[in-house]
Amino acid sequence: MNDFLINLENVLQALSAGLLLGGIYGLMCVGLGIIFGVMRVINFGQGDLMMVGMYCAFYLFTTLGIGNFLGAEVGAIVAALLTGPIMYVFGLLLHRFLVSRVTGVRVAGLEGEGHYAQLILTLGMALILANGGLLLFGSTPVSIKSSLSSSAWEVGPFVGEFVSIFVNKARGIALVVSLAVAAALYFFITRSRLGKSLRAAADNPEAAIYMGIDVDKAHRMAFGIGTAVTAVAGGLVASYYPFQPYVGLEFVIVMYAGVVLGGLGSIIGAFWGGMIIGLVQQLATLVLPTQLQNTAVFVVFLLVVFLRPQGLFGVNVTRA
Amino acid sequence: MLELDDVHVAYGGLKALAGVSVKVGAGDFVSIIGPNGAGKTTLFKCISGIVAPVQGTIRFDGQDLTKVPAADRPHLGIAHVPEGRQVFPNLSVLENLEMGAWTYAGRRDWTDNLEYILGLFPVLASRRDQLAGTLSGGEQQMVAIGRGLASSPRLLMLDEPSMGLAPTIVDSIFERIVEIRRDKKLTVLLVEQRAVEALQSCDRGYVLETGRVVLEGGHEELLSDDRVRKAYLGI
Ligand SMILES: Nc1ncnc2c1ncn2[C@@H]1O[C@H](COP(=O)(O)OP(=O)(O)OP(=O)(O)O)[C@@H](O)[C@H]1O
Ligand SMILES: [Mg+2]
């Protein structure tokens, strides 16, 4: 095998790792993106909601016995998916009792449209969740172990008997599930009546009320869905990645960067934003030391913000 | 059908409406005219529930509207075509109309209503998949009116549909409004700065100035009133 083939293999391997990571990042970003897109609220607690989702999947898998009952492989996926509805309800409750007090029609006329209060509330929520997690779950990292996370599919060889890439099975399955969830959400938002009403409430809350759309309810649903989607992404990450209650911090930056990169308010954009970050992180390892992965991400991030401030998928339709 | 009695509205300390009473009977075409800042839009927002009156009652078909949440009012049959059109810019024309049909009645009559709306404004048919935010002002006004009609309303409220439009388009919009009223046997409440057109099409009118009704009457009566002629018709 000559140098060229070795390089080719490295590039392909990094590309596939980037796609696997990016698909999961994309789903996380969609969760944050839908909350921002519909409610115009920056949720600083999103990373910690994801952490709760990860523990939710973990306890479904272990304590509730889904892992034993369905087998570790299927169980890990089912646990991640079940996290969705559970965290949806959690999101609804959070919105009902906390978030709705500083968002929506109620604060429309306030100074800064309530952004200060939102910042403090969601930041507070983040701290409470992270520290609450520490009390409840302890600081020892846990993970959902299955044979999938330590085995791989070989794709290839592409050139004669050379150039194969290896796809970790747990990550591969996580990517497929993540794409499926993102696609389902995309169809919900663009095609269904309810999804359209969420977009209408985002576009012009006052006009939405004139249509008879309950904007507060639309916000609650968006917060629930956003929480659930990020939590499912977390549940999928949990199937191959050890975590502890502060894991939210590791991902929250990725989520913000992804959402801004894709274009604030664009839900599809959020997915591609996350995807790009995953790809950049992995491809950067080809030319940069691993410690500089995130630096590469921010260079790309700054470039996009500099050259295309509305983000890759941001639309600049003037408001009537 | 709609009855406002002694309605007061204040924004902070500023009084926008100071005891307004307006009556709209079933099938009536009522116009409200008045200068900028008179409180016309505020009156509409009050009927739709976006702002709450500090005093006074609003009844729709005998029901006390102030006790009905804003988002439930369209379901009673009230359609509000707001000032400045306020279409959903990132939704397509068709999706905008679909959102108009969010009410129970609108959902039931969707197919018929859509056909009627596209017949009324044929341009919209060729623009159905275009984002509403990219439409011209006149087209957006058509979307806004169409969106109101899609809810199968009994009362259609229009807030300055002529705003910012060229004279020929204004004429055609007014013609459409008269046509809609005739076809659908709707009750119409119209707010306008263009007093001539508004008074010519209506049965009855009100003149609103600084939050008070200063004059009301049948359309002949208002058109021949000296004060109206001087202040609003420029005669
Ligand atoms: N959200 C608000 N906050 C504070 N004051 C307001 C608000 N909306 C309206 N006002 C004030 O209330 C008064 C009435 O406003 P309104 O918009 O009802 O007038 P209008 O008759 O519709 O005027 P125009 O013909 O220009 O549309 C104005 O003095 C306006 O400045
Ligand atoms: Mg006005």
Side-chain angles (χ1 to χ4, degrees), chain B residues 10-12 14-17 34-45 51 83 159-160 163 191-193 208 211:
Chain B
Y11 294 110
L14 182 115
K15 218 149 203 198
L17 294 180
N36 290 118
K40 308 182 294 297
T41 299
T42 302
L43 185 72
F44 266 29
K45 286 188 174 174
V51 298
E83 181 174 64
D159 194 346
E160 292 200 45
M163 193 190 214
V191 154
E192 258 306 331
Q193 298 249 10
L208 201 63

Side-chain angles (χ1 to χ4, degrees), chain A residues 15 60 77 82 100 102 160 162 185 201 251 256 280 286 290 305:
Chain A
L15 200 62
L60 282 172
I77 299 164
L82 278 181
S100 69
V102 294
F162 302 115
L185 195 69
F251 290 97
Y256 293 130
V280 170
L286 290 171
T290 321
V305 171

Side-chain angles (χ1 to χ4, degrees), chain B residues 121-191:
Chain B
F121 304 116
V123 217
L124 297 187
S126 59
R127 300 250 189 276
R128 53 199 291 160
D129 296 318
Q130 189 174 329
L131 291 187
T134 63
L135 295 172
S136 76
E139 290 161 350
Q140 290 193 2
Q141 189 63 61
M142 295 175 199
V143 171
I145 295 175
R147 203 175 56 174
L149 289 175
S151 71
S152 286
R154 288 180 297 133
L155 170 67
L156 181 64
M157 308 202 302
L158 301 145
D159 194 346
E160 292 200 45
S162 73
M163 193 190 214
L165 301 183
T168 50
I169 302 191
V170 172
D171 289 344
S172 102
I173 293 271
F174 274 109
E175 279 164 26
R176 291 294 94 75
I177 293 170
V178 172
E179 190 181 332
I180 291 163
R181 185 213 180 191
R182 196 188 55 220
D183 293 347
K184 297 273 172 185
K185 315 258 177 309
L186 278 179
T187 308
V188 176
L189 183 56
L190 173 72
V191 154

Side-chain angles (χ1 to χ4, degrees), chain A residues 13-316:
Chain A
Q13 189 63 50
L15 200 62
S16 90
L19 286 174
L20 292 174
L21 191 61
I24 293 286
Y25 282 175
L27 193 62
M28 287 173 200
C29 292
V30 164
L32 181 66
I34 196 169
I35 291 177
F36 181 83
V38 175
M39 301 175 66
R40 302 285 143 177
V41 168
I42 299 174
N43 180 20
F44 287 97
Q46 195 76 7
D48 300 283
L49 287 172
M50 183 175 117
M51 176 275 293
V52 177
M54 293 170 98
Y55 276 99
C56 182
F58 176 74
Y59 285 112
L60 282 172
F61 185 86
T62 54
T63 312
L64 278 175
I66 289 181
N68 286 330
F69 185 63
L70 295 171
E73 288 72 25
V74 181
I77 299 164
V78 171
L81 287 176
L82 278 181
T83 301
I86 295 171
M87 291 302 286
Y88 177 73
V89 174
F90 188 65
L92 293 186
L93 293 174
L94 275 182
H95 181 274
R96 170 70 182 77
F97 292 106
L98 288 175
V99 183
S100 69
R101 293 179 189 277
V102 294
T103 59
V105 185
R106 193 184 294 201
V107 296
L110 287 187
E111 189 186 351
E113 305 208 315
H115 288 319
Y116 308 128
Q118 290 161 13
L119 190 148
I120 291 163
L121 182 102
T122 60
L123 213 53
M125 204 167 78
L127 291 173
I128 289 170
L129 287 175
N131 290 303
L134 205 57
L135 281 177
L136 278 174
F137 312 131
S139 60
T140 322
V142 295
S143 71
I144 297 175
K145 289 225 173 52
S146 78
S147 62
L148 293 176
S149 50
S150 53
S151 58
W153 286 296
E154 181 179 350
V155 186
F158 297 109
V159 185
E161 53 194 285
F162 302 115
V163 191
S164 304
I165 51 177
F166 292 91
V167 176
N168 177 291
K169 287 187 182 170
R171 288 176 186 251
I173 291 171
L175 174 71
V176 172
V177 175
S178 155
L179 289 177
V181 173
L185 195 69
Y186 175 74
F187 281 106
F188 169 72
I189 287 287
T190 54
R191 301 289 157 83
S192 78
R193 212 172 121 81
L194 206 54
K196 288 172 194 172
S197 79
L198 296 187
R199 281 156 58 215
D203 255 9
N204 189 333
E206 187 180 315
I209 292 174
Y210 295 146
M211 303 300 112
I213 296 167
D214 187 333
V215 171
D216 196 44
K217 229 167 153 178
H219 281 188
R220 184 160 308 151
M221 181 180 266
F223 197 83
I225 294 174
T227 303
V229 167
T230 299
V232 168
L236 292 170
V237 171
S239 73
Y240 59 80
Y241 188 82
F243 56 95
Q244 26 69 35
Y246 282 116
V247 72
L249 266 182
E250 288 172 45
F251 290 97
V252 79
I253 305 290
V254 167
M255 285 193 250
Y256 293 130
V259 167
V260 175
L261 210 56
L264 284 169
S266 165
I267 291 158
I268 313 150
F271 182 84
W272 293 116
M275 177 61 90
I276 288 170
I277 290 179
L279 281 169
V280 170
Q281 269 191 0
Q282 291 303 316
L283 290 173
T285 56
L286 290 171
V287 289
L288 294 172
T290 321
Q291 305 91 291
L292 290 182
Q293 267 188 348
N294 285 329
T295 315
V297 169
F298 281 103
V299 169
V300 171
F301 177 77
L302 287 178
L303 273 179
V304 170
V305 171
F306 188 68
L307 297 173
R308 206 179 142 79
Q310 73 271 40
L312 295 173
F313 290 78
V315 270
N316 261 341

Side-chain angles (χ1 to χ4, degrees), chain B residues 212-223:
Chain B
R212 284 195 173 77
V213 173
V214 293
L215 207 64
E216 62 175 286
H219 90 138
E220 295 290 344
E221 201 178 323
L222 288 179
L223 277 171

